[in-house]
Amino acid sequence: MTATDRSIELITTAAQAAADRLAHDIIAYDVSDVLSITDAFLLASAPNDRQVKSIVDEIEERLLKELGAKPVRREGDRDARWILLDYVDIVVHVQHSEERVFYALERLWKDCPEIELPEDAKLTKGKAEEYAKLREAQGDDELDGDLF
């Protein structure tokens, strides 16, 4: 079994929305062969809580406006360290960069096939590492996430 066309459409739109809001390391996995509850996961991260919220808001708005999709569940808003949007067909995880490293969801799903994403989303690969190096070089723990 593979992800449905609808799931791929949702993932593609969500990935583009995340890239437009400068998310880092956007990746999507087809988890339909190992999970019966959803077809695909989208993972993205950001260096601060404000940007995590901004990315999630853009994804939610774009999926509603362009595809008429509303999440059945939204979790993690209070702390904005890891916000989950559940659309049944897909689940979107937007994490603070620290949570992304700690929980390493990519390790859990690495055996699942990656879903082809828009070019803008592909270009986000490695941005979290670049940002961390820049932050370290400048000795500033509070760089604005809008640099990338």
Side-chain angles (χ1 to χ4, degrees):
M1 192 163 91
T2 60
T4 64
D5 290 343
R6 173 68 173 171
S7 297
I8 300 298
E9 182 180 36
L10 290 166
I11 285 285
T12 302
T13 302
Q16 184 62 55
D20 290 348
R21 287 287 183 216
L22 306 177
H24 295 171
D25 300 318
I26 302 168
I27 191 165
Y29 293 102
D30 180 340
V31 296
S32 61
D33 282 342
V34 293
L35 291 177
S36 60
I37 58 171
T38 193
D39 282 348
F41 281 163
L42 179 73
L43 310 175
S45 56
N48 60 60
D49 303 349
R50 180 177 48 95
Q51 193 172 358
V52 167
K53 280 187 174 188
S54 175
I55 293 164
V56 169
D57 289 345
E58 182 67 17
I59 290 170
E60 194 170 8
E61 184 178 316
R62 190 92 55 96
L63 288 178
L64 179 61
K65 183 179 177 183
E66 294 180 15
L67 302 175
K70 291 171 106 174
V72 296
R73 189 172 69 210
R74 179 175 170 152
E75 295 183 6
D77 273 331
R78 179 177 292 172
D79 296 328
R81 302 289 293 181
W82 180 351
I83 299 178
L84 179 144
L85 295 173
D86 182 353
Y87 285 89
V88 180
D89 293 329
I90 70 166
V91 176
V92 177
H93 301 267
V94 182
Q95 298 174 297
H96 189 286
S97 298
E98 293 169 0
E99 270 66 15
R100 179 89 178 255
V101 171
F102 182 79
Y103 290 102
L105 295 178
E106 290 91 340
R107 279 194 319 222
L108 293 173
W109 306 110
K110 69 179 182 217
D111 294 334
C112 295
E114 282 188 40
I115 296 173
E116 186 73 20
L117 297 176
E119 195 59 34
D120 290 343
K122 290 180 195 176
L123 293 173
T124 67
K125 189 171 186 165
K127 289 291 184 185
E129 188 175 338
E130 277 181 46
Y131 181 83
K133 286 179 182 176
L134 178 62
R135 199 168 98 179
E136 184 179 305
Q138 292 187 352
D140 186 353
D141 289 338
E142 295 298 325
L143 276 178
D144 188 346
D146 295 338
L147 291 177
F148 291 93

